[in-house]
Every structure is written in C-alpha cells, then in structure tokens.
Amino acid sequence: MLQGTFIIIAFLVIAAFMMAKKLPTLLALPFLAVVICVIAGVPAVGVNGEGAQIGWLSTVLEAGTVRMGSAIMAVIFGAWLGQLMNKTGVTENIIKKSAELGGDRPLIVTLIMVTAVALLFTTLNGLGSVIMVGTIVLPILISVGVPAVSAASIFLMAFAVGLSFNIANWTSFSSIFGLEIDKIKGFEVYMLAVTLIATIILIFVEFKKNGVKFAFSAPVSDQIQTKQLRGTAGGLAMITPLVPIVLVAFLKVPVVPSFLAGIFWILLFTSKSFSKAMNLLVKTCYDGITDAAPAIILMVGIGILYLAVTHAMVKEVLNPFLLAVIPTSKIGYIIFFSILAPLSLYRGPMNLFGLGSGIAALVIGLGTLNPQAVMGAFLSAERIQGCGDPTNTQNVWTANFAEVDVNTITKKLLPYLWTISVIGVIISAFIYF
C-alpha cells in the first residue's frame, strides 16, 4: 500500500509540473513511467523464472515505443490526407461553399460553418489544419456580426464535434482501451450527438446575449482567394472527408487502407496530370508527417506509460490503492467520474493524451469495471480537454487569431463541456453497467 501511495504522489507531482509548464508532456510521460517502475521495484534488466524479460528497459522503454504503432500510422496517414485536402483547395472550397449557402443570415452562416468544420475534422488532424480552417472560418463568423470570443468558442466546439468521428482518434482510443474500433465508434455516436446539441445551444445563447440578429444583411468576408473546384469532379473531391468514414464505420475496412482510399480519391478528382499528382503526393506526405510529429511523439510517451502501469509488479502494488477508491456501483460511478471529469485539463489523470492513458489501463486491469465503462468515463472527460484546455495548441492559436484571452474561452466553454461529460458518463453507466 505504501508503494502504491508513493506512485500516486508521483502522478500528482508530475501533473503539477505539467500544469505549471515546467515539464513538457512528451518528456513527462516516459519519465513518470520510469519513476513508477523504480518505486514498484521493477529491475532495469532481468528475467523471471521462465526466462522472460521483466526489466523496465526492455519491457517498458523499448516495447513502449511501438505500443501505439497502429495509432501512430493512422495519425500519419490521416495527416497526409489532411494535407492533400488543404493543398488541393478542398478544405477552402468546403468552407466557402458553405458560407455561400448561408447568404447574409448570421445564424444560418454560423450553423453551416459548424457543420463544415465538424465534417472537416473527422479527417483533418494537427495544428496546421486548425490554422488552415480557422483562418477562413473565423473571419467569416466575425464579419456577420459574431463577437470574436463567441466566434472562437463556436469554432472550437465545432472542432470537438468533428473529433468525435475522427478515425485516427478512434484508433488511438482502441489501442489505449484494448477494444475494437466498433466499440469506440458505438459510444462516440452518443458523444457526437450531445456535443452537437451543446454547440447549437451555445450558438443561440451567444446570439441572444450579444444581440446578434438571427437574420440581417451583412457582407460575408471574401478576403481569402479560394482555388475553385468546379463541376462533377470538384463536387466529388469535396466529399473526400466522407470516404474514409464510410469505409471504416460502415464497410469495416481497416483504417490505413481507408485513408489510402481517400488519398487516391482526392488525387483522382483534383489532379491535372500524373506527374503533378506524384509531386503533390510526395510533398504532402512529408508535410503530413511534420504535421503529425507532435502527436506521434506524444503517443510514444503514452505507449511507454501504458506498459509501465500494466507491468505485473506495478499492478501488484497499485491494485490495493485503486480497489479502495474506484466505485463499483452505477450511482458511485456516475458521481465519481462526473466530479473528476475536469481533471482531463492540463494532461491530468483523466486525460487520455496525458496521465489518463495510464490510469485507464490500471482501472481496466482491476477487473472491477467493464472495460467499456472505463472507456465511456474517460471519453466523456476527454470532451473537456478536447477544446477546453487553455494549453491546447488549437486553443492558443484560436485565441491569438481572434485576439481574445485563451482563458476567457475556457471559462465560456467549461459549463457546456462539463455538462457534456456528465451526460456522457450517465449514458455510459446505463449502457455498460
């Protein structure tokens, strides 16, 4: 029990260092993994009685670098497709065409922008794509009368809606929870619906509070010169984000081949010649890997931490502590995870792209909760982090571009995001208990 307490203290101390921005997450996760192994008495090198490796150098540090291999590949190929969408003008065209559909009616423009952004981020990943979409969407929203802080908040909520059906994210969660992608998708359908409803409520509340009329004549910003995609080929190119979603979600095609199909699809309907298509393919591949690099490094750390906390010797010292605090009743589950949901901020213990990946693995290892119930609790909490964490690169960039304080956005969104999380936990409790 004493060793388990020291490990929890190590979690809290390193979380505090991350929150204070004294230790970057990509270093904090593998460092925490080593600290946990040392506290639990795991040897650096060694074998058990059957000759199998048990030392943390091989079973944690070495093996952990490839633990999230499938998720890393999904991120790379998704970023590649995202770069192709950006470079061929598909992203811009989807947004601009959507704005034109709204005409001069701020509410309609805003709702269509939310739909377009959500659709795009089912496929797009990385800060580069956020910047690409945001530099078009935010001026459009502001030009029709939406205040800057409201526009930034609505944009980030729309981004979160899209992430619910982001296939690369599904693959990451599948690796963390050890569940099939279908199980992840089954719960994310509920989260998408709840997040979308909350986004629409946010729009109406902000329009009402700021006196934005629901329909009036206002010019839509046209300062971005869009590479026009016309005709049947242009229309087919603009449905690119749907291609991998349909293949994965409905036809059960594996993730990487689905992204490759999307890459082939967009090249087919946007390329003028074979040589130009090949040059674009190579350039966007390099750019996509660059765009995905921060997520890849983070996933390496997650894999290392995951194997540290699931090591047999670590589980042996942590299980008594966790058994004492993790609820096993439906009501206890709802109260416990609803209250703790904001701990997904600052890469905290409920954040699946931070300390939460290790905590989730430990809770599943206890065997007292259904793995899907653990998934539901942590995916619900992830709503708060996804677009509410002021340390997110997308939040920082959006705040700077809209010229508002990043913490102001967090304060505005937190009531909505926490409500989404609580509803998600309740849905999970009734489905998986």
Side-chain angles (χ1 to χ4, degrees):
M1 191 72 170
L2 183 61
Q3 287 172 294
T5 303
F6 281 142
I7 289 175
I8 298 301
I9 291 172
F11 267 106
L12 296 175
V13 170
I14 291 176
F17 273 101
M18 287 192 289
M19 291 172 67
K21 300 183 181 178
K22 301 294 184 184
L23 188 63
T25 305
L26 63 90
L27 294 178
L29 298 184
F31 176 67
L32 177 61
V34 173
V35 170
I36 288 172
C37 288
V38 171
I39 293 173
V42 180
V45 294
V47 295
N48 61 17
E50 299 174 356
Q53 288 285 343
I54 60 169
W56 57 260
L57 282 175
S58 59
T59 61
V60 174
L61 282 186
E62 175 71 17
T65 58
V66 295
R67 171 64 180 76
M68 300 284 289
S70 60
I72 289 171
M73 289 301 104
V75 168
I76 289 174
F77 281 89
W80 188 2
L81 177 57
Q83 281 293 326
L84 273 169
M85 288 174 58
N86 292 342
K87 292 292 194 296
T88 56
V90 168
T91 299
E92 291 181 59
N93 273 265
I94 289 174
I95 296 167
K96 284 292 192 175
K97 298 279 185 194
S98 300
E100 290 169 9
L101 285 174
D104 296 331
R105 294 161 293 179
L107 179 62
I108 301 301
V109 169
T110 303
L111 291 173
I112 294 177
M113 287 295 96
V114 165
T115 303
V117 171
L119 175 63
L120 287 168
F121 281 102
T122 59
T123 302
L124 298 181
N125 271 298
L127 181 60
S129 294
V130 171
I131 293 172
M132 176 70 188
V133 175
T135 52
I136 304 170
V137 169
L138 290 170
I140 290 174
L141 292 178
I142 293 170
S143 74
V144 297
V146 181
V149 68
S150 301
S153 300
I154 291 167
F155 170 69
L156 287 169
M157 283 290 281
F159 165 80
V161 173
L163 286 188
S164 301
F165 254 55
N166 187 288
I167 298 169
N169 274 5
W170 287 357
T171 310
S172 300
F173 299 146
S174 173
S175 296
I176 290 170
F177 296 112
L179 295 170
E180 295 294 325
I181 282 182
D182 270 358
K183 302 293 185 184
I184 307 296
K185 182 198 77 175
F187 185 72
E188 287 283 35
V189 168
Y190 296 105
M191 295 309 296
L192 182 146
V194 176
T195 308
L196 180 59
I197 291 169
T199 304
I200 293 171
I201 293 172
L202 171 68
I203 292 169
F204 278 90
V205 169
E206 291 301 301
F207 270 52
K208 182 83 170 173
K209 183 168 68 176
N210 295 297
V212 182
K213 295 181 180 177
F214 292 95
F216 74 100
S217 181
V220 173
S221 172
D222 196 32
Q223 60 185 3
I224 306 294
Q225 293 299 313
T226 306
K227 179 181 178 180
Q228 292 295 323
L229 297 175
R230 296 187 174 88
T232 303
L236 290 171
M238 282 191 282
I239 68 170
T240 296
L242 297 177
V243 173
I245 292 176
V246 169
L247 290 176
V248 172
F250 301 103
L251 300 181
K252 314 303 180 189
V253 177
V255 171
V256 171
S258 297
F259 278 130
L260 285 171
I263 289 168
F264 175 77
W265 178 277
I266 195 170
L267 285 174
L268 181 64
F269 295 111
T270 59
S271 300
K272 302 298 182 185
S273 69
F274 180 79
S275 61
K276 287 183 179 179
M278 293 303 100
N279 289 336
L280 182 62
L281 194 65
V282 172
K283 185 180 187 318
T284 52
C285 178
Y286 294 154
D287 290 343
I289 293 173
T290 301
D291 205 25
I296 291 171
I297 294 298
L298 189 60
M299 286 181 181
V300 170
I302 289 172
I304 292 170
L305 180 61
Y306 180 94
L307 290 185
V309 298
T310 55
H311 193 286
M313 294 178 69
V314 174
K315 287 179 9 180
E316 187 178 339
V317 300
L318 269 177
N319 282 358
F321 182 91
L322 291 173
L323 282 169
V325 298
I326 299 298
T328 54
S329 69
K330 184 181 293 188
I331 298 300
Y333 169 92
I334 292 172
I335 294 172
F336 183 82
F337 286 108
S338 294
I339 292 173
L340 295 186
L343 294 181
S344 61
L345 297 173
Y346 300 100
R347 307 292 176 187
M350 292 296 291
N351 187 325
L352 288 172
F353 293 101
L355 301 179
S357 58
I359 299 291
L362 283 171
V363 176
I364 290 174
L366 288 175
T368 57
L369 285 179
N370 185 322
Q372 288 176 254
V374 179
M375 171 202 72
F378 278 84
L379 289 188
S380 297
E382 200 61 29
R383 286 297 93 174
I384 296 178
Q385 186 275 332
C387 68
D389 193 334
T391 65
N392 285 340
T393 52
Q394 63 264 21
N395 285 56
V396 173
W397 178 85
T398 301
N400 288 339
F401 185 82
E403 298 181 348
V404 298
D405 180 56
V406 67
N407 293 300
T408 301
I409 295 175
T410 296
K411 290 175 185 175
K412 184 177 288 293
L413 292 181
L414 188 56
Y416 296 92
L417 297 174
W418 201 345
T419 301
I420 293 169
S421 294
V422 172
I423 294 173
V425 170
I426 293 171
I427 291 172
S428 175
F430 280 92
I431 294 177
Y432 302 127
F433 261 81

